[in-house]
Amino acid sequence: MAGSVFRAALIMASAAAVSMTEACVEWAPPRPDVRVEGAWVRAVAGPDASTAAYMVLRNAGGAPDRLTGARCEASRVAELHRTTIDAAGLARMERVEVLALPAESAVEMQPGGYHLMLMGVGQLVQGDTIGITLELESFGPVEVAAEVRAF
């Protein structure tokens, strides 16, 4: 009889532990899940040129994140920029400190909008691939292989 009581208590304790574990999993805070699609860079021919990188940042997770910086193996400086059109119709480029990546959304970095400005690059030939590291506030670093394309 003592063995039966012990087994019943053990079963009840195991069930409670499983139930608590499931509850913890269900209540875990949402996390960002950022993926990069279609990364490319404009080809350039100069020894100390500037160019731009474009891509789609897709946050499939349940929490927002922010792009806070970038590094590129092929450039001395990598900065987040945005092109805007002023009241006179002139295109202006400005540095941006962060780019918001809302949960379950995509943000496109494209010509005429957000982009990574890569300064101090050598020659980048169409068909080459360069490495870029994106710094995301919550998700952490994301390594990107960007194809060099003619524009």
Coordinates of all heavy atoms in Angstrom, one line a residue, residues 67-70 78-84 93-100 109 113-117:
L67 N 17.4 48.0 -36.0 CA 18.8 47.9 -36.6 C 19.5 49.1 -36.1 O 19.1 50.3 -36.2 CB 18.7 48.0 -38.2 CG 20.0 48.1 -38.9 CD1 20.8 46.8 -38.7 CD2 19.7 48.3 -40.4
T68 N 20.6 48.9 -35.4 CA 21.4 50.0 -34.7 C 22.7 50.2 -35.4 O 23.4 51.2 -35.0 CB 21.6 49.6 -33.2 OG1 22.3 48.4 -33.1 CG2 20.2 49.5 -32.5
G69 N 23.2 49.4 -36.3 CA 24.4 49.7 -36.9 C 24.8 48.5 -37.9 O 24.1 47.5 -38.0
A70 N 25.9 48.7 -38.6 CA 26.4 47.7 -39.5 C 27.9 47.8 -39.7 O 28.5 48.9 -39.4 CB 25.7 47.9 -40.9
A78 N 30.4 52.0 -42.5 CA 29.1 51.6 -42.9 C 28.1 52.3 -42.0 O 28.1 52.2 -40.8 CB 28.9 50.1 -42.8
E79 N 27.2 53.1 -42.7 CA 26.2 53.8 -41.9 C 24.8 53.6 -42.5 O 24.6 53.4 -43.7 CB 26.5 55.3 -42.0 CG 27.8 55.7 -41.3 CD 28.0 57.2 -41.5 OE1 27.4 57.9 -42.3 OE2 28.9 57.7 -40.7
L80 N 23.8 53.7 -41.7 CA 22.4 53.6 -42.1 C 22.0 55.0 -42.6 O 22.2 56.0 -41.8 CB 21.5 53.2 -40.9 CG 20.0 53.1 -41.2 CD1 19.7 52.1 -42.3 CD2 19.3 52.6 -40.0
H81 N 21.5 55.1 -43.8 CA 21.0 56.4 -44.3 C 19.6 56.3 -44.9 O 19.1 55.2 -45.1 CB 22.0 56.8 -45.5 CG 23.3 57.3 -45.1 ND1 24.0 58.2 -45.8 CD2 24.0 57.1 -44.0 CE1 25.1 58.5 -45.2 NE2 25.2 57.9 -44.1
R82 N 19.0 57.4 -45.1 CA 17.7 57.5 -45.8 C 17.7 58.6 -46.8 O 18.2 59.7 -46.5 CB 16.6 57.8 -44.7 CG 15.2 57.9 -45.3 CD 14.2 58.1 -44.3 NE 14.5 59.3 -43.5 CZ 13.8 59.7 -42.5 NH1 12.8 59.0 -42.0 NH2 14.1 60.9 -41.8
T83 N 17.2 58.4 -47.9 CA 17.0 59.4 -49.0 C 15.6 60.0 -48.9 O 14.6 59.2 -48.8 CB 17.3 58.8 -50.4 OG1 18.6 58.3 -50.4 CG2 17.2 59.9 -51.4
T84 N 15.5 61.3 -48.8 CA 14.2 62.0 -48.8 C 14.2 63.0 -49.9 O 15.2 63.4 -50.4 CB 13.9 62.6 -47.5 OG1 15.0 63.6 -47.2 CG2 13.9 61.6 -46.3
M93 N 20.1 63.1 -48.7 CA 20.5 61.9 -47.9 C 20.8 62.3 -46.5 O 21.6 63.2 -46.3 CB 21.6 61.1 -48.6 CG 21.9 59.8 -48.0 SD 23.0 58.8 -49.0 CE 24.4 59.9 -49.3
E94 N 20.3 61.5 -45.6 CA 20.6 61.8 -44.2 C 21.0 60.5 -43.4 O 20.4 59.5 -43.7 CB 19.5 62.6 -43.5 CG 18.2 61.8 -43.4 CD 17.0 62.6 -42.9 OE1 17.2 63.8 -42.6 OE2 15.9 62.0 -42.8
R95 N 21.9 60.7 -42.5 CA 22.2 59.6 -41.6 C 21.1 59.3 -40.6 O 20.5 60.2 -40.1 CB 23.5 59.8 -40.9 CG 24.0 58.6 -40.1 CD 25.3 58.8 -39.5 NE 25.7 57.6 -38.8 CZ 26.5 57.5 -37.8 NH1 27.1 58.6 -37.4 NH2 26.8 56.4 -37.3
V96 N 20.8 58.0 -40.4 CA 19.8 57.6 -39.4 C 20.4 56.8 -38.4 O 21.2 55.9 -38.7 CB 18.7 56.8 -40.2 CG1 17.6 56.3 -39.2 CG2 18.1 57.6 -41.3
E97 N 20.1 57.0 -37.1 CA 20.7 56.3 -36.0 C 20.2 54.8 -35.9 O 20.9 53.9 -35.6 CB 20.6 57.0 -34.7 CG 21.3 58.3 -34.6 CD 22.8 58.2 -34.8 OE1 23.4 57.2 -34.2 OE2 23.4 59.0 -35.5
V98 N 18.9 54.7 -36.0 CA 18.3 53.3 -35.9 C 17.1 53.2 -36.9 O 16.6 54.2 -37.4 CB 17.7 53.1 -34.5 CG1 18.8 53.1 -33.4 CG2 16.6 54.1 -34.2
L99 N 16.8 52.0 -37.3 CA 15.7 51.6 -38.1 C 14.8 50.6 -37.4 O 15.3 49.6 -37.0 CB 16.3 51.0 -39.4 CG 15.2 50.6 -40.5 CD1 14.3 51.7 -40.9 CD2 15.9 49.9 -41.6
A100 N 13.6 51.0 -37.2 CA 12.6 50.2 -36.5 C 12.2 49.0 -37.3 O 12.0 49.2 -38.5 CB 11.4 51.0 -36.1
M109 N 14.9 48.1 -47.7 CA 16.0 49.1 -47.9 C 16.2 49.1 -49.4 O 16.5 48.0 -50.0 CB 17.2 48.7 -47.1 CG 17.0 48.6 -45.6 SD 18.5 48.0 -44.7 CE 19.5 49.4 -44.8
G113 N 15.3 55.3 -50.7 CA 14.8 55.2 -49.4 C 15.9 54.8 -48.4 O 17.0 55.4 -48.5
Y114 N 15.6 53.9 -47.5 CA 16.6 53.5 -46.5 C 17.7 52.7 -47.3 O 17.4 51.9 -48.2 CB 16.0 52.6 -45.4 CG 15.2 53.4 -44.4 CD1 13.8 53.4 -44.5 CD2 15.8 54.2 -43.5 CE1 13.1 54.1 -43.6 CE2 15.1 54.9 -42.5 CZ 13.7 54.9 -42.6 OH 13.0 55.6 -41.7
H115 N 18.9 52.8 -46.8 CA 20.0 52.0 -47.4 C 21.2 52.0 -46.4 O 21.3 52.9 -45.5 CB 20.4 52.5 -48.8 CG 20.8 53.9 -48.8 ND1 19.9 55.0 -48.8 CD2 22.1 54.5 -48.8 CE1 20.6 56.1 -48.8 NE2 21.9 55.9 -48.8
L116 N 22.1 51.1 -46.6 CA 23.4 51.2 -45.9 C 24.4 51.9 -46.8 O 24.6 51.5 -48.0 CB 23.9 49.8 -45.6 CG 23.2 49.0 -44.5 CD1 23.9 47.6 -44.4 CD2 23.3 49.8 -43.2
M117 N 25.0 53.0 -46.3 CA 26.0 53.7 -47.1 C 27.3 53.1 -46.7 O 27.7 53.0 -45.6 CB 25.9 55.2 -46.7 CG 26.7 56.1 -47.7 SD 25.7 56.2 -49.2 CE 27.0 56.6 -50.3

